[in-house]
Amino acid sequence: MTDSTSRCGYVALVGRPNVGKSTLLNHILGQKLAITSRKPQTTRHTLLGIKTEGPVQAVYVDTPGIHKDNDKALNRFMNRTATQALRDVDLVLFLVDRLRWTDEDQMVLERVQNVRCPVIVVVNKVDRQEDKRELLPHLEWLSKQLPEAEVVPVSALHGQNLDHLEQLIAERLPEGEHFYPEDQLTDRSSRFLAAELVREKVMRQLGAEIPYQVTVEIEQFSQEGPVLHIHALILVEREGQKKIIIGDGGARMKKIGQEARLDMQKLFGSKVMLNLWVKVKRGWSDDERALHSLGYHF
Ligand code: GDP
Ligand code: K
Ligand code: MG
C-alpha cells in the first residue's frame, strides 16, 4: 500500500493445532513471542502480537487451535478461547496445511464460513512441497469453500511469500487510529512470556503424553542491576512426571533451563538468572478452580 491512511485492526490466526499459527506470528513480528512445538496444544492462551509499520497497525490474535477433544477443562478452555477470537476481529487468517485436510480443518472451516469479516486462507508449509503444481487443485478447492477469500500459499517457517501476505492484510484492515503505541509488541506481561518460554522447552523435551499435564508459574521476576532474576515453578500431575522432567542427574532440567534462559535473554534484552523447580500438583488440568488460579481465565 502506498497511501498514508492510518489503518488498524485485529487479525485472528485460526486453524487446527500444528498448522503453524504461532510460527507465522513470530515470523511476521520478527521476534519469538509465541511458543511453538511439534505438539498440538502448545498454545493455550490467546496472545496479542502487535506490528506497527508506518500508518498500518496489525494486532494479531494467536489462538490455541480448535480441536476435537472437549473432555477436559483445559481442552474446553482452549476451544472456547479460539472460538471467541473469531468474533470481534476485523480479519481472519485461516491457516491450513498444504494438501493435508482433516476433520479438525473441517470444523474450523465451518466456523470461518460464518464470520462477517474478510478472510484470508493461508496455505502453510509449502516449503515441504517439491512440485508446486500439485498444490493447485487444493488451492482451487479451498477457493470454492470460501469464495470471498483470498488463498495464499506461504512458508511461515522460511518466510516465503509473507511480504505478499502482509500486503493483503494491510489492504483489508479498517481505516482508523492505532490502538497501541508504536513500540508495543504484545498485551502480555514479561512474566507471562517467561512462563511460556519455560513451558515450550518442557513441551519440546518430552514425549507424547506428559506435556499436556505441565504448566508453569513464575514465582519471582525482578531486575537486580543488569540481571533479571526469574524463579519458575513447573507443575506436573504425577510424581513419575516430575522424575522424567528432572532427568538423569538433573540433565533434562538443566537443558530446559539453559534453552529457556537464552530465549529470555533475547526477548528481554537483559542478562537472565533462571531458577527452576518442579512440583506435583495433582489434578490441575481438569480442575476449573485450579486452572483459574493458574491464569487460565474463562
Ligand atoms: P500451531 O499449533 O498452529 O501454533 O503450530 P506451531 O507454530 O506450533 O507449529 C507446529 C509445527 O509446525 C512446528 O514444529 C513448526 O516448526 C512447524 N512449522 C510451522 N510452519 C512451518 C512451515 O512453514 N514449514 C515447515 N516445514 N514447518 C512448519
Ligand atoms: K503446536
Ligand atoms: Mg500455537
Side-chain angles (χ1 to χ4, degrees), residues 16-23 35-38 42-43 62 124-125 127-128 154-158:
R16 73 165 152 79
N18 263 358
V19 287
K21 298 176 294 296
S22 300
T23 304
I35 65 167
T36 68
S37 88
R38 293 209 178 123
T42 306
T43 308
D62 188 19
N124 191 28
K125 308 197 187 184
D127 54 283
R128 293 238 183 101
V154 306
S155 166
L157 195 61
H158 299 289

Side-chain angles (χ1 to χ4, degrees), residues 19-30:
V19 287
K21 298 176 294 296
S22 300
T23 304
L24 178 67
L25 177 63
N26 289 339
H27 211 110
I28 286 177
L29 295 176

Side-chain angles (χ1 to χ4, degrees), residues 102-122:
T102 69
D103 289 352
E104 286 178 317
D105 289 306
Q106 190 62 35
M107 264 179 65
V108 188
L109 171 66
E110 283 159 23
R111 286 175 211 204
V112 171
Q113 281 169 329
N114 288 317
V115 302
R116 287 152 186 266
C117 65
V119 174
I120 300 175
V121 184
V122 179

Side-chain angles (χ1 to χ4, degrees), residues 47-296:
L47 172 91
L48 295 188
I50 305 159
K51 181 157 180 184
T52 310
E53 245 178 355
V56 180
Q57 182 168 78
V59 184
Y60 294 93
V61 188
D62 188 19
T63 64
I66 295 172
H67 56 96
K68 284 188 300 187
D69 311 318
N70 227 358
D71 53 332
K72 278 196 164 191
L74 179 62
N75 288 339
R76 285 196 296 278
F77 165 79
M78 291 196 293
N79 270 346
R80 216 174 304 167
T81 309
T83 306
Q84 272 164 4
L86 280 172
R87 299 188 206 125
D88 307 326
V89 291
D90 302 291
L91 176 64
V92 169
L93 299 190
F94 173 29
L95 269 84
V96 302
D97 205 326
R98 46 126 217 169
L99 301 187
R100 214 162 77 82
W101 187 260
T102 69
D103 289 352
E104 286 178 317
D105 289 306
Q106 190 62 35
M107 264 179 65
V108 188
L109 171 66
E110 283 159 23
R111 286 175 211 204
V112 171
Q113 281 169 329
N114 288 317
V115 302
R116 287 152 186 266
C117 65
V119 174
I120 300 175
V121 184
V122 179
V123 183
N124 191 28
K125 308 197 187 184
V126 296
D127 54 283
R128 293 238 183 101
Q129 193 68 32
E130 294 254 319
D131 187 350
K132 304 279 190 256
R133 282 169 305 183
E134 285 172 18
L135 280 173
L136 288 177
H138 188 50
L139 302 184
E140 274 168 32
W141 181 81
L142 286 165
S143 260
K144 286 207 184 96
Q145 307 311 307
L146 291 157
E148 310 282 316
E150 195 81 34
V151 179
V152 189
V154 306
S155 166
L157 195 61
H158 299 289
Q160 287 165 10
N161 214 20
L162 296 189
D163 288 345
H164 176 58
L165 174 63
E166 284 195 73
Q167 178 75 32
L168 294 173
I169 293 168
E171 287 166 10
R172 282 160 183 72
L173 292 178
E175 290 182 16
E177 295 303 308
H178 294 179
F179 302 143
Y180 297 93
E182 191 177 355
D183 58 356
Q184 189 170 340
L185 182 69
T186 181
D187 62 326
R188 292 293 189 166
S189 67
S190 299
R191 283 180 99 98
F192 171 87
L193 299 173
E196 288 288 273
L197 286 175
V198 174
R199 196 164 61 78
E200 176 187 75
K201 303 314 169 199
V202 175
M203 302 275 294
R204 288 183 177 189
Q205 282 285 321
L206 297 184
E209 276 308 310
I210 305 158
Y212 314 116
Q213 308 203 331
V214 171
T215 194
V216 177
E217 269 183 280
I218 300 296
E219 300 207 306
Q220 191 195 324
F221 192 103
S222 56
Q223 187 84 43
E224 290 165 30
V227 183
L228 197 52
H229 290 255
I230 300 174
H231 293 196
L233 181 62
I234 301 170
L235 292 175
V236 294
E237 291 269 4
R238 290 195 297 274
E239 204 58 48
Q241 297 168 344
K242 180 174 164 178
K243 283 210 184 82
I244 292 170
I245 288 185
I246 292 170
D248 280 342
R252 195 173 278 119
M253 268 290 264
K254 195 169 164 200
K255 197 143 190 278
I256 291 168
Q258 281 168 342
E259 290 178 2
R261 192 173 62 82
L262 289 178
D263 275 3
M264 289 173 184
Q265 293 193 156
K266 264 193 226 149
L267 186 61
F268 302 134
S270 165
K271 197 167 155 44
V272 170
M273 283 268 291
L274 175 64
N275 284 304
L276 292 180
W277 281 276
V278 193
K279 212 170 101 180
V280 179
K281 182 162 176 166
R282 246 168 271 276
W284 74 265
S285 67
D286 197 24
D287 175 341
E288 304 230 356
R289 269 180 57 195
L291 280 173
H292 197 84
S293 74
L294 291 168
Y296 297 87

